[in-house]
Amino acid sequence: MSVIENSKLTVVGAGAVGSSVAYAALIRGSARHVALYDIAPEKTEAEVLDLAHGAQFTGSSDIIGGADISVAAGSHVVVITAGAKQKPGQTRIELAGVNAGILKSMMPQLLEVAPNATFVIVTNPCDVLTVLAQETTDLPYERIFASGTVLDTSRLRWKIAQRAGVSIASVHAYIVGEHGDTEFPLWSHATIGTVPILDWVPLDGQPKFTVDELDQIAVDVRDAAYKVIQGKGATNYAIGLSSARIVEALLNDEHTVMPVSTVLDDFHGVSGVALSVPSIVSSAGAEPIRQTAFSPNELGLFRRSADALREVADSLR
């Protein structure tokens, strides 16, 4: 199946992230129609105008938007970015209470105007909000999921590629777990080409990777958002691009493997929380790859991530 004819993407939230998702989707031609919805009419109208003024340069996609939820009608994919943004020094989990309230009231309305859509939650803390949104809507797990660690994985691959002296596309490594402080890389599967990461000899004469260095890379990736927020107030370009990429995998029925965050059902013994694991993203939504193997240490980290998120979700119910 090729891209859905007349495919429609609605982005909910016209802030830094939402407008960046819409911008990336227009430039990449991710969907034929893009709609931007936000409860702030002037801001939304201004963003839509600014994007529409560049329509000559973005191929065949068009953009509409406004403060009436009817702009989302008939969407195939809805990307949700609405909510309070993360302040400098604030963790994603500290945002949970405010954004859970916003999402719970909005989801039934969105489902009413776009009953067949697949929903991608970008608003933080995205894993916790995915569980609450799924419970609110009773949608099948594959049709409501978070962008999860797709961006974190991109950050990881970028850092490894720089050090290894190869293109990002040749780095095969994933960040899994929470999109946040308990996330971790699946180092047991990380390769450059077919070479396990610790065996790779950089082409520029640098020494091989060490375990300590990989640990530091993992910390840098985990804390990358804090650094960006500290300097410019928000992360928006990279999450915009990664969200547009998820939309393409859905609309083009790609069956691409991406570490998105779905509500898990007995995945390595974990159920009822949303965590990122390598998943197949297609027009049917996102399906975790159950054969993904974890080392004993990674399994411990994964369960720790699940426990941390379960605690937050329980506090919001």
Side-chain angles (χ1 to χ4, degrees), residues 9-51:
L9 160 69
T10 293
V11 181
V12 178
V17 173
S19 46
S20 294
V21 174
Y23 182 55
L26 286 170
I27 286 183
R28 291 175 61 90
S30 306
R32 175 67 182 82
H33 306 287
V34 179
L36 191 59
Y37 164 67
D38 193 299
I39 54 169
E42 282 182 10
K43 164 76 168 154
T44 312
E45 195 179 322
E47 291 290 1
V48 170
L49 268 178
D50 197 9
L51 290 163

Side-chain angles (χ1 to χ4, degrees), residues 271-287:
S271 296
V273 288
L275 289 171
S276 290
V277 296
S279 305
I280 293 175
V281 182
S282 68
S283 60
E287 190 65 48

Side-chain angles (χ1 to χ4, degrees), residues 57-81:
F57 314 112
T58 59
S60 60
S61 299
D62 56 40
I63 175 98
I64 60 163
D68 190 311
I69 203 158
S70 63
V71 299
S75 299
H76 298 98
V77 180
V78 177
V79 173
I80 297 173
T81 74

Side-chain angles (χ1 to χ4, degrees), residues 61-262:
S61 299
D62 56 40
I63 175 98
I64 60 163
D68 190 311
I69 203 158
S70 63
V71 299
S75 299
H76 298 98
V77 180
V78 177
V79 173
I80 297 173
T81 74
K85 70 175 186 180
Q86 200 171 345
K87 297 186 177 77
Q90 186 181 38
T91 69
R92 294 184 179 103
I93 297 300
E94 284 163 359
L95 279 175
V98 181
N99 289 345
I102 293 169
L103 210 64
K104 277 180 180 172
S105 66
M106 191 171 57
M107 282 306 302
Q109 300 169 45
L110 284 168
L111 202 54
E112 203 172 307
V113 295
N116 301 314
T118 298
F119 292 84
V120 182
I121 294 173
V122 176
T123 304
N124 278 319
C126 64
D127 307 294
V128 173
L129 295 181
T130 296
V131 174
L132 297 178
Q134 191 281 324
E135 288 173 355
T136 304
T137 56
D138 209 24
L139 279 168
Y141 290 168
E142 65 272 13
R143 271 186 56 204
I144 184 159
F145 60 91
S147 51
T149 55
V150 173
L151 172 53
D152 309 87
T153 292
S154 175
R155 288 167 173 152
L156 177 73
R157 292 179 181 183
W158 172 73
K159 284 192 83 74
I160 292 171
Q162 274 194 313
R163 165 77 166 80
V166 297
S167 83
I168 298 176
S170 301
V171 176
H172 309 291
Y174 290 94
I175 297 274
V176 297
E178 175 197 3
H179 173 53
D181 294 342
T182 65
E183 68 182 39
F184 62 96
L186 278 182
W187 288 131
S188 63
H189 294 292
T191 64
I192 295 164
T194 59
V195 180
I197 190 161
L198 288 170
D199 296 340
W200 180 259
V201 179
L203 308 179
D204 57 4
Q206 286 195 76
K208 296 204 291 194
F209 286 96
T210 64
V211 172
D212 285 349
E213 184 183 4
L214 294 182
D215 285 345
Q216 187 53 53
I217 286 173
V219 169
D220 291 346
V221 168
R222 183 195 70 199
D223 295 343
Y226 297 127
K227 189 173 180 181
V228 176
I229 290 165
Q230 197 67 48
K232 58 172 265 192
T235 62
N236 59 305
Y237 297 128
I239 187 62
L241 286 163
S242 54
S243 300
R245 183 66 195 90
I246 294 167
V247 169
E248 290 155 25
L250 289 165
L251 290 176
N252 295 325
D253 194 28
E254 286 184 18
H255 294 77
T256 295
V257 177
M258 294 177 152
V260 294
S261 176
T262 57

Side-chain angles (χ1 to χ4, degrees), residues 259-274:
V260 294
S261 176
T262 57
V263 181
L264 298 176
D265 179 19
D266 194 19
F267 184 93
H268 287 292
V270 171
S271 296
V273 288

